[in-house]
Amino acid sequence: MGSAPNPQTAPIGITSPPGGGRWRRNAPRTSVFALFGVVALALLGAFVLIFATVEAERIQRSQAARTSTVLVALNGVVGATLNGETAQRGYFITYDKRYLAPYWRGQKAYETEIARVRSSLGAEATQQQTELVDEIERLGDAKWAEMGATVTLVARGEIAAAHARILSDEGQLAMDGLREAVGRLETVERARLADASHRAARTEARIVPLLSLLFAVIVCALALGLWQTVRMSRAEAAAANAEAIAEARDRADLLAKELNHRVKNLFAVILAVVKMSARGDTAAAPAVDRISKRIHALVTAHDVTQGGDGAEADSRVDLADLIGKTIAPYRSSGERCVLDGPALAIDGRHAMPLGLVLHEMVTNAVKYGAWARAGGLLEVRWQDVDGRVRLVWREESENAPPPPEGGKPEREGFGSMLMRSSARQLGGTIERRFEAAGIVIEIDFPRVG
């Protein structure tokens, strides 16, 4: 009763080209590594950005401390020189040697502050700053040399010479030049401080949006990495279960073939029982013949839905094949028949009700319609209109019986009830028109149920 499975039949979707499985296994891992690489680069970028900001802040703080020290030292240079000048004038006016003490302290403070200016600027001093410091020291030394000469003259009692030295422009020019050089160096140092502060502020202004962008990149990368990891886990699980799936599919195919075989056997048994029931009863022979032909139509529709003997079951049915197999038992070289339409695959669930309707129509054509008289023509045309099947069954005969009054038969037979029930199963409509040349039946239903 059963049929043995074909050992050469491979499960659909299991066979793959050499190396394909390895590529599919390695591709998710490569993607994961790439995503983690993006995360690592984003973290590195964040570290570099933070380091640059901290470094800019450190430079700004260092520059601020250096500028403050330089400005204090420059003020000390000017202040010490002014104190020395005041002590010099007091000693000249009073001849009191007590004024020499602040004079010597001022000279020592001047030398200390000059050295402090140079050390504060250090190796980072620009050429302009170095030249200004040299100029300040030169002018300061000139001023202190002028004051030292005056003190020496007063100490020797040469008051007139000392007075003439004080009234000369030598000391005044040196002092004015000293103040001007100190002012220029202060301006340069403040400009460097302002530039460092500006760079630090600019770096700080960039860090917040850039860190936000880096955070978004990291979050997206982590989310993609998680998704890829889950996907890879599912792929590995599917690969691990591929053998079990293939085995289950083989069992399902074998079961489907066995079930198909048993259904055919059941149809054969039913057909035999029907024929045996009418044996010896000539009155029941016409009814048994009609029932047998309808059972045969069911067998034909079943064969079409299963793809024929030995083929695998499919969820789609070729409409042209269904029409051709239904009409074939009643067609001979003497009947004119036109079958016209494109290749259409309809839902397998439509095969059974449509096959019964086609069988009913072809038997009516043989008994009462176009093929009941010589020269009759049967036309079956179909097409796809916006996802719906439009099938037109047209019978033409020269001596066709006149159409019934009102366009409808007086009583409704089994065929009419069968068509109405099949129309509901198809989810469409079946309409009949009786014309002078013969009957026209239009069937409309969706391709996919």
Side-chain angles (χ1 to χ4, degrees), residues 35-116:
L35 288 173
F36 280 120
V38 170
V39 174
L41 289 177
L43 291 174
L44 181 61
F47 172 77
V48 171
L49 183 61
I50 293 173
F51 178 80
T53 304
V54 172
E55 181 64 14
E57 291 285 347
R58 185 193 65 77
I59 293 174
Q60 191 269 341
R61 289 193 300 269
S62 176
Q63 182 63 45
R66 184 176 61 190
T67 299
S68 177
T69 302
V70 170
L71 293 179
V72 170
L74 289 174
N75 288 332
V77 169
V78 175
T81 304
L82 288 176
N83 290 336
E85 186 179 41
T86 301
Q88 173 218 17
R89 298 295 173 87
Y91 179 60
F92 171 74
I93 294 172
T94 63
Y95 308 109
D96 188 350
K97 292 185 178 182
R98 289 179 296 179
Y99 282 97
L100 293 178
Y103 172 81
W104 298 120
R105 286 197 300 270
Q107 187 177 36
K108 187 176 180 180
Y110 162 77
E111 294 172 353
T112 302
E113 296 300 334
I114 282 291
R116 186 179 176 190

Side-chain angles (χ1 to χ4, degrees), residues 408-427:
K408 295 183 180 181
E410 295 180 358
R411 67 182 185 86
E412 188 179 68
F414 175 78
S416 299
M417 291 186 293
L418 176 64
M419 288 186 180
R420 189 168 59 250
S421 174
S422 298
R424 286 195 299 268
Q425 295 181 54
L426 291 171

